[in-house]
Amino acid sequence: MGMKSVLAALCLLAFSASPSSSLADDKPQSSAETAVDRLLGAVGGRDAWAALTGTVNDSQQNRAAEPTVVRAVITMDFAKPRFRIDTRGEGFSTVRVIDGERSWRQTREGVVEDVPDDLYEADMRWYGGHVYRSIHRMAKRDPALAYRLADDGRLEVVENGVRMIWFRLDARGEPYAFGAWEDDAGSLSGPWEFSEGEIRHPIWVSNSTGSWRASVKSLTLDPQIRDRDFNRPASE
């Protein structure tokens, strides 16, 4: 079995990471679970997030590097480890599909090629700790997940003993910052006031330095995700 097949099979398990030294194992489980309930209530409710099968997120991204403005459409399947990212800008176009052995990418030069193994592994790790898919798993009461509060008050979601994602919540339970795996800096998120159905989504997300920012344009829930959407273009 190739590396990509192995990673795809393991993507829902823990990835290799070092637990944060700030984890607080002695925090009451009930307090962490209360924080989970507050978070879910603030972003649309447990039932709405648990029912999701996937999303298509269309956003404008502003970046420090060229091109400084791009439009990114991310099609993500919550039922299986696969996603597609289409990025467009002035004189710029890339596609990346992560779907096990079917994975491929189209570079900005227009070359269609296999996704390099190191990029594939990083993308699978990104998918494993993705904020919206993680909230979906939390809402479904995924038995593989556990919860605890760090000494600094962050809600931490743990899988197989490793921190998968963390959230900082305001007084209402709405996340204003989050990060995956060992990333302690994480991202900032604007008000979760963009609504689609019952689901609430942040109006904007930014990395901790502001060199990358994204503002949502549209959000499609439960899209019809077809295998052909991930097909590699025919070779020229």
Side-chain angles (χ1 to χ4, degrees), residues 205-216:
V205 177
S206 169
N207 66 6
S208 60
T209 65
S211 62
W212 176 89
R213 292 149 285 149
S215 54
V216 63

Side-chain angles (χ1 to χ4, degrees), residues 61-70 108 206-207 209-214:
Q61 297 183 3
N62 295 79
R63 317 183 305 180
E66 288 287 354
T68 58
V69 181
V70 297
R108 62 192 302 170
S206 169
N207 66 6
T209 65
S211 62
W212 176 89
R213 292 149 285 149

Side-chain angles (χ1 to χ4, degrees), residues 49-63:
W49 278 92
L52 284 181
T53 60
T55 57
V56 178
N57 185 336
D58 181 351
S59 66
Q60 175 178 305
Q61 297 183 3
N62 295 79
R63 317 183 305 180

